[in-house]
Amino acid sequence: LFMESSASKLLCHLPVPAPVVVAQKSPILKRRNSLLPSRISGRQSARRSVTSVRSMRGKRKTRAIPEFFDLTRHQNIRLRAPSTKKKRISLHRVEDTEVVVELLNGQKVEVACRSDVISRDVFSLIVQNMNINEHVFFGLSFIRDGEHYFIEDHQRLEKFAPSGWKSVSRVGVKVPYVLHLRFKFYPQILDFIKTDVTMNELYLQCRRDVLEERIQPKRDAAFELAALALQAEFGNRPPPVITDYFDIQHYLPKKFSSYEDQTRLKNILAELHGHYAGTRISEAKHKYIQICQRHPDFGAHIHRVFRTKPTSSHGSSPFDPDTGSSLWIGIMPRGISIYEQQGGAREVIAEHIWPHTQTLQFDKKRFVIVAVGSHDEQIESTFYTDHHTK
């Protein structure tokens, strides 16, 4: 009995043998991956869009083109100016019309307004839409005979509008009225500018001023400016075998590009462009502005004048009837400069800074500057304009 009970206890502690399983060929089960792009609702298109955005960002530019010449970059914007509340009843006829404001980047803003709108209302609407906080530098101007005239904040736009502008609704013929948002006061140092938006606008203003010859740099400076503009608008120079990646007229003033071999000019500019490899876009723009700031024409409002009163037979000729050369005055922050065309360039022949300017006299087309000389004597400089409003 003792032996049987011990054996039964021992058997209780022995491991129970596992049942014998006959191996059979089982079917292969494929796991359904719920993370496959094809099984994710809406993720496939999103992934493709992200990939396309990344490819666009990484896409290399094939041609340099300034922002204000790239007509495909911007679409026209349509805005409506606020209506001015009338304080009193007036017999002045007011019509619904439209004014177009061209920005420095070439974009056009179509502003629907009343014909009695004042400049301040349109200006505030534009700078707010462009997110320009430092609007004290800017103004609205219109062009007459290639010269910019600024409109004061309180003035009505219709005072300077072309004939028929306010009669669109009655006549049915649309008369274009184009204004320009541009720098009225040029900052003399970059530290005056606090936002990237204003800095980019100043770069565009300088680019336009150089190409339109309001700023007239010497040849070497003009080529250096062109190379910096290429770096800012294209990036690093492409391989040396490629030189036809920009248009000469987009980067050099006409007087340096019209009468020379275009291929040779492109080779020179491409080589100069290569000197700025690795320069960041913002740094290239800053250097461009700083070179322009050192030029005596920077920030000048230039207007054509004459030594003697022009007659009706003189017409719209820019040349002075007596001297045969062109004459301008430049209104600047430090005073008034007198320019004369010499050897294909505009040269300063006299300068009247404000502390030494006694009076300015106007009489219809006659304009007189009375300055104080080095020996306290009065010096009068008399000029004439082609229109009394100038």
Side-chain angles (χ1 to χ4, degrees):
L1 290 174
F2 174 76
M3 294 287 292
E4 287 180 359
S5 62
S6 299
S8 62
K9 289 179 180 180
L10 183 61
L11 288 171
C12 290
H13 292 285
L14 289 174
V16 180
V20 178
V21 179
V22 179
Q24 296 180 355
K25 187 176 281 188
S26 58
I28 300 174
L29 299 178
K30 292 184 177 180
R31 183 175 179 270
R32 299 180 68 187
N33 188 353
S34 60
L35 296 180
L36 287 174
S38 59
R39 297 184 56 81
I40 302 175
S41 176
R43 289 193 185 180
Q44 189 169 7
S45 60
R47 181 173 295 183
R48 284 177 181 173
S49 63
V50 171
T51 304
S52 63
V53 169
R54 287 175 179 171
S55 63
M56 287 174 64
R57 287 178 180 173
K59 190 177 179 180
R60 175 74 178 176
K61 287 184 179 180
T62 58
R63 194 157 194 84
I65 181 169
E67 193 174 348
F68 44 84
F69 281 128
D70 190 356
L71 302 180
T72 63
R73 183 176 298 188
H74 304 293
Q75 294 181 346
N76 286 10
I77 301 173
R78 295 189 63 87
L79 300 174
R80 176 170 288 278
S83 300
T84 306
K85 292 183 179 180
K86 292 290 184 182
K87 294 183 179 180
R88 62 184 181 209
I89 298 176
S90 173
L91 297 178
H92 183 73
R93 181 170 57 85
V94 179
E95 303 283 353
D96 288 323
T97 184
E98 180 184 90
V99 63
V100 176
V101 179
E102 183 176 331
L103 309 180
L104 287 169
N105 62 2
Q107 190 172 21
K108 291 181 172 60
V109 182
E110 300 171 1
V111 181
C113 59
R114 303 279 283 172
S115 58
D116 63 343
V117 68
I118 61 174
S119 175
R120 184 190 304 110
D121 292 340
V122 175
F123 177 80
S124 300
L125 186 68
I126 297 296
V127 295
Q128 183 179 1
N129 182 265
M130 292 180 61
N131 195 28
I132 295 179
N133 296 321
E134 298 169 288
H135 50 76
V136 67
F137 294 117
F138 297 85
L140 287 178
S141 71
F142 64 93
I143 296 180
R144 179 187 293 161
D145 296 331
E147 300 173 15
H148 281 272
Y149 297 88
F150 285 92
I151 304 175
E152 299 299 327
D153 286 348
H154 63 277
Q155 291 179 312
R156 289 180 176 178
L157 296 187
E158 64 179 325
K159 181 178 180 180
F160 311 97
S163 179
W165 171 69
K166 62 185 294 183
S167 305
V168 177
S169 57
R170 292 187 298 105
V171 181
V173 179
K174 192 174 182 179
V175 178
Y177 185 11
V178 180
L179 299 177
H180 301 264
L181 182 78
R182 66 192 309 272
F183 274 79
K184 185 176 184 180
F185 304 109
Y186 286 58
Q188 299 300 307
I189 57 174
L190 293 184
D191 289 343
F192 288 165
I193 300 177
K194 303 302 179 185
T195 63
D196 293 337
V197 174
T198 306
M199 187 69 74
N200 184 63
E201 293 297 310
L202 181 58
Y203 168 73
L204 293 175
Q205 181 69 76
C206 291
R207 284 279 282 122
R208 284 175 170 267
D209 287 349
V210 171
L211 291 181
E212 296 166 7
E213 299 189 15
R214 276 188 284 272
I215 296 177
Q216 294 189 342
K218 301 296 184 183
R219 179 184 172 85
D220 290 346
F223 275 76
E224 184 181 0
L225 288 170
L228 283 168
L230 283 170
Q231 183 66 24
E233 296 163 7
F234 185 82
N236 291 338
R237 177 193 175 183
V241 293
I242 301 175
T243 57
D244 187 21
Y245 60 96
F246 60 91
D247 293 327
I248 289 289
Q249 64 269 24
H250 291 169
Y251 291 90
L252 281 177
K254 286 184 179 179
K255 65 179 181 179
F256 295 131
S257 61
S258 299
Y259 308 105
E260 294 194 39
D261 181 66
Q262 301 294 296
T263 303
R264 177 177 171 274
L265 287 178
K266 284 189 175 183
N267 289 333
I268 294 173
L269 279 185
E271 184 178 352
L272 291 173
H273 178 197
H275 295 168
Y276 292 100
T279 305
R280 292 179 291 118
I281 292 176
S282 59
E283 186 181 353
K285 290 181 178 181
H286 290 180
K287 288 182 178 180
Y288 191 101
I289 296 170
Q290 288 170 335
I291 292 176
C292 291
Q293 285 176 328
R294 294 195 294 266
H295 200 274
D297 287 350
F298 179 76
H301 298 179
I302 297 175
H303 299 280
R304 189 185 61 207
V305 292
F306 304 94
R307 292 287 187 191
T308 57
K309 187 176 180 179
T311 60
S312 57
S313 61
H314 182 255
S316 59
S317 173
F319 303 109
D320 190 279
D322 287 348
T323 62
S325 61
S326 299
L327 199 68
W328 297 272
I329 64 168
I331 305 172
M332 311 181 73
R334 64 179 180 271
I336 295 179
S337 295
I338 312 300
Y339 301 92
E340 190 174 40
Q341 189 83 5
Q342 295 179 358
R346 192 172 56 233
E347 300 290 345
V348 178
I349 59 174
E351 189 175 44
H352 304 286
I353 62 174
W354 296 125
H356 296 164
T357 302
Q358 194 171 37
T359 59
L360 302 175
Q361 300 172 5
F362 307 88
D363 182 17
K364 295 181 179 179
K365 294 182 179 181
R366 187 168 176 264
F367 171 58
V368 181
I369 303 173
V370 181
V372 179
S374 55
H375 301 290
D376 294 334
E377 75 279 9
Q378 285 190 349
I379 302 173
E380 289 191 6
S381 301
T382 304
F383 306 96
Y384 293 89
T385 64
D386 49 0
H387 196 274
H388 70 276
T389 57
K390 182 183 289 190

